[in-house]
């Protein structure tokens, strides 16, 4: 009996020690700068970038967004754009300008990025859905309203489309969305864009299952950003878990009852473009997936041909003709 108790104590001490080591030393390392992602933004002309506005989230925090007024005589609806990982609303500027030819467009600094809250962290998993609902209720974008998400923002858009708040939007456009590290679209380390501190990630996940969330603010993933750029280089456990689909992404695809389309560049170096249609089909979804030739990951939001395809996709989702320029 004493031997068994002693063995259990020894195992417990060992588990506590291993967990402590994972929390302290198991964080993400810094990946080398990925030029294929960073370089295109250096040439981005944002001289006509709209000024930041703010709305108040339910916790009292002012969160930032940009508004692009429609240049059409009558707006055909509205578009809300979610940026990719590590970025902010500035990265969606060319796409938002194109949408504004016929729609009122909004680009968000999602909490944890840009001028919204503490960079790289949020208070709890689920806060981003609360923030998005607060935005929609405060700003009241004109209907029909499309949620457009790029990369991690596309994954979060899928998360929204598959939850009880899906009715906030008329339809959804996902641009090369992150789906899951278990999906066939995933490349190791997202093609060199990420480094995950797996020991720390697993330790925090296990602690959460025990009801311990005191370490959720520790960074668990780092991005291959240019360190001189004004970006968000790492995510805490809370932000990493929230700015993506839920673990059962197949359930999200089966649950959504709103129109959705997916665009991906054939030359995407972050995800496996040819696998998107298969992933959606295997989930029992009939969502249309269009591959754009000669377009890579960042090109999907910067290349003029890709931008034209995104505008056409929203027109199709809304059953509209192309608005006059």
């Amino acid at each position: 009996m004493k031997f068994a108790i002693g063995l259990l104590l020894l195992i417990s001490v060992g588990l506590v020690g291993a967990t402590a080591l994972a929390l302290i030393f198991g964080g993400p390392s810094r990946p080398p700068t990925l030029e294929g992602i960073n370089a295109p933004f250096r040439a981005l002309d944002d001289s006509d970038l709209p000024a930041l506005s703010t709305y108040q989230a339910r916790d009292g925090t002012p969160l930032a967004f940009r508004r692009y007024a429609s240049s059409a005589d009558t707006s055909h609806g509205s578009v809300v754009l979610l940026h990719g990982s590590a970025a902010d609303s500035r990265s969606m500027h060319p796409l938002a300008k194109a949408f504004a030819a016929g729609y009122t467009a909004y680009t968000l600094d999602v909490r944890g990025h840009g001028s919204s809250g503490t960079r790289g962290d949020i208070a709890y998993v689920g806060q981003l859905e609360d923030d998005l609902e607060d935005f929609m209720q405060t700003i009241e974008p004109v209907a029909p309203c499309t949620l457009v998400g790029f990369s991690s923002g596309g994954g979060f858009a899928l998360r929204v489309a598959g939850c009880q708040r899906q009715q906030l939007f008329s339809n959804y456009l996902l641009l090369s969305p992150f789906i899951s590290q278990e999906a066939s679209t995933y490349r190791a380390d997202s093609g060199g864009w990420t480094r995950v501190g797996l020991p720390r990630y697993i330790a925090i996940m296990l602690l959460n299952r025990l009801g311990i969330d005191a370490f959720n603010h520790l960074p668990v993933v780092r991005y291959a950003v240019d360190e001189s750029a004004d970006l968000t280089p790492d995510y805490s456990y809370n932000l990493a878990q929230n700015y993506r689909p839920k673990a059962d992404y197949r359930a999200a695809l089966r649950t959504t009852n709103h129109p959705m389309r997916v665009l991906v560049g054939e030359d995407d170096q972050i995800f496996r473009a040819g696998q998107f249609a298969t992933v959606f089909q295997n989930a029992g979804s009939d969502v249309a997936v269009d591959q754009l030739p000669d377009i890579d990951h960042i090109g999907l939001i910067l290349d003029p041909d890709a931008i034209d395809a995104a505008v056409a996709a929203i027109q199709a989702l809304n059953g509209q003709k192309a608005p006059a320029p």
Side-chain angles (χ1 to χ4, degrees):
M1 184 65 177
K2 291 182 178 180
F3 174 78
I5 293 174
L7 182 59
L8 287 174
L9 287 173
L10 186 60
I11 292 173
S12 299
V13 170
L15 289 173
V16 170
T19 300
L21 289 173
L23 292 172
I24 296 170
F25 300 109
S29 60
R30 175 185 170 185
T33 300
L34 191 60
E35 281 300 302
I37 300 298
N38 290 273
F41 290 113
R42 297 190 188 113
L44 181 62
D45 179 11
D46 61 0
S47 57
D48 55 348
L49 190 69
L52 284 172
S53 300
T54 60
Y55 70 97
Q56 184 168 297
R58 64 191 63 188
D59 68 340
T61 301
L63 301 179
F65 70 96
R66 303 179 195 273
R67 182 181 185 273
Y68 295 73
S70 172
S71 60
D73 292 337
T74 302
S75 177
H76 293 261
S78 57
V79 182
V80 176
L81 294 94
L82 304 171
H83 56 75
S85 55
D88 57 41
S89 58
R90 294 171 298 172
S91 65
M92 306 301 282
H93 181 53
L95 194 55
K97 285 201 302 181
F99 286 139
Y103 305 89
T104 304
Y106 302 88
T107 58
L108 307 186
D109 277 6
V110 175
R111 189 191 292 256
H113 308 78
S115 298
S116 293
T118 301
R119 288 202 183 184
D121 191 26
I122 58 176
Y124 55 89
V125 177
Q127 189 169 35
L128 299 186
E129 291 96 312
D130 290 345
D131 291 343
L132 190 58
E133 182 177 62
D134 293 342
F135 172 82
M136 295 299 289
Q137 292 178 348
T138 301
I139 305 303
E140 297 183 332
V142 63
C145 184
T146 303
L147 183 61
V148 179
F150 169 63
S151 199
S152 288
F156 179 63
L158 176 57
R159 184 186 187 98
V160 175
C163 77
Q164 61 185 4
R165 287 166 166 151
Q166 60 181 270
Q167 71 278 359
L168 290 172
F169 299 92
S170 306
N171 46 61
Y172 294 81
L173 177 61
L174 312 184
L175 306 176
S176 191
F178 171 78
I179 296 177
S180 171
Q181 66 275 15
E182 297 177 358
S184 58
T185 51
Y186 181 73
R187 295 183 190 272
D189 296 327
S190 294
W193 176 237
T194 62
R195 289 278 177 86
V196 177
L198 198 56
R200 178 182 288 171
Y201 202 111
I202 293 173
I204 295 176
M205 180 178 65
L206 293 175
L207 287 171
N208 273 248
R209 291 178 180 176
L210 297 174
I212 301 171
D213 60 4
F215 304 99
N216 286 20
H217 298 286
L218 293 177
V220 296
V221 59
R222 292 190 68 173
Y223 296 100
V225 300
D226 183 342
E227 290 292 317
S228 65
D230 185 24
L231 299 171
T232 302
D234 54 49
Y235 281 6
S236 70
Y237 179 85
N238 276 342
L239 183 53
Q241 286 292 90
N242 202 166
Y243 205 43
R244 56 168 292 162
K246 289 187 176 180
D248 189 356
Y249 65 89
R250 297 176 184 86
L253 287 169
R254 291 191 297 269
T255 301
T256 183
N257 54 23
H258 287 66
M260 179 184 294
R261 293 191 68 171
V262 177
L263 298 183
V264 59
E266 285 187 351
D267 298 335
D268 196 305
Q269 67 273 51
I270 303 300
F271 304 126
R272 301 185 186 279
Q275 293 297 313
F276 276 93
T278 300
V279 166
F280 279 78
Q281 289 168 5
N282 289 345
S285 171
D286 60 356
V287 170
V289 178
D290 296 323
Q291 290 190 52
L292 307 182
D294 303 317
I295 300 295
D296 64 7
H297 192 71
I298 294 301
L300 202 57
I301 59 172
L302 298 182
D303 186 278
D305 289 340
I307 290 173
D308 287 345
V311 172
I314 287 190
Q315 293 161 3
L317 283 167
N318 289 317
Q320 299 166 339
K321 296 181 179 179

